[in-house]
Amino acid sequence: TLSKMSENNWIITGAIVRPSVDDISTRVDIVNNITTPAGSTLTVPFDNVVYDDLSAFNIANPTRLTVPAGVSRVDVFAYAQYAGGGIPVGTEMFMRIDHYNSLGARLAVVAAADSTSAWQDLRWSCGQIGIPVSVNDYFDLKLNESNVSSILTRCRLTLREAN
């Protein structure tokens, strides 16, 4: 369910389901909480495969989803949720999905926040659709907090073949 909270803020509630049986995608998430380091960037190491129709996840490289042969466009989405207890005022944060290709180029999909009030239970997401890709391109998810270390309790990265 998509609900409008204010002019530019929406919230998604309910179960996450695959759009259809024809949806060819990979979703990975974390099972164990991760402490995000203050003042530095964390590339999220995923430890659980929810589904992997694309065969994009390899536990030997747990921070990335790799584009397989035969896929030319993808949609990519990320979600992160932090433990309650507060993220203090003045904390600058970003969530960034990076796309690496054979030319060394990188496309970043970014969600950023600057807390003007303390957050008790931060949940956020970002994504991009219709990204042109080649075999062995890969995507990873990076998180950064400027001045505080927090507990990441839920996090997922989804790569879906675009139609």
Side-chain angles (χ1 to χ4, degrees):
T1 305
L2 184 62
S3 306
K4 190 171 186 177
M5 295 174 57
S6 64
E7 184 59 32
N8 294 313
N9 294 305
W10 297 78
I11 187 166
I12 299 173
T13 57
I16 302 296
V17 295
R18 297 169 76 169
S20 74
V21 293
D22 297 326
D23 183 40
I24 301 171
S25 56
T26 294
R27 174 173 286 168
V28 291
D29 63 13
I30 62 170
V31 172
N32 299 302
N33 292 350
I34 297 173
T35 301
T36 59
S40 62
T41 301
L42 168 73
T43 303
V44 178
F46 295 97
D47 59 4
N48 184 53
V49 177
V50 180
Y51 46 84
D52 193 9
D53 301 326
L54 282 174
S55 299
F57 184 71
N58 181 341
I59 195 64
N61 287 309
T63 60
R64 64 176 67 170
L65 294 181
T66 303
V67 175
V71 175
S72 61
R73 296 180 82 74
V74 297
D75 305 332
V76 62
F77 306 98
Y79 171 84
Q81 179 177 332
Y82 291 86
I87 295 174
V89 173
T91 300
E92 296 174 354
M93 304 176 72
F94 74 73
M95 173 191 321
R96 186 177 77 216
I97 303 170
D98 284 340
H99 170 204
Y100 300 88
N101 65 28
S102 61
L103 302 175
R106 184 176 78 200
L107 165 73
V109 179
V110 178
D114 183 2
S115 63
T116 54
S117 61
W119 292 315
Q120 293 302 314
D121 185 15
L122 176 64
R123 302 170 189 208
W124 59 343
S125 59
C126 66
Q128 180 70 40
I129 61 172
I131 302 168
V133 292
S134 299
V135 65
N136 294 326
D137 285 11
Y138 67 91
F139 294 83
D140 65 21
L141 178 62
K142 292 181 173 57
L143 301 169
N144 180 284
E145 299 174 61
S146 62
N147 61 353
V148 65
S149 179
S150 295
I151 305 296
L152 185 64
T153 59
R154 294 186 69 196
C155 187
R156 64 180 165 255
L157 184 62
T158 304
L159 186 67
R160 179 176 64 205
E161 184 174 11
N163 296 330

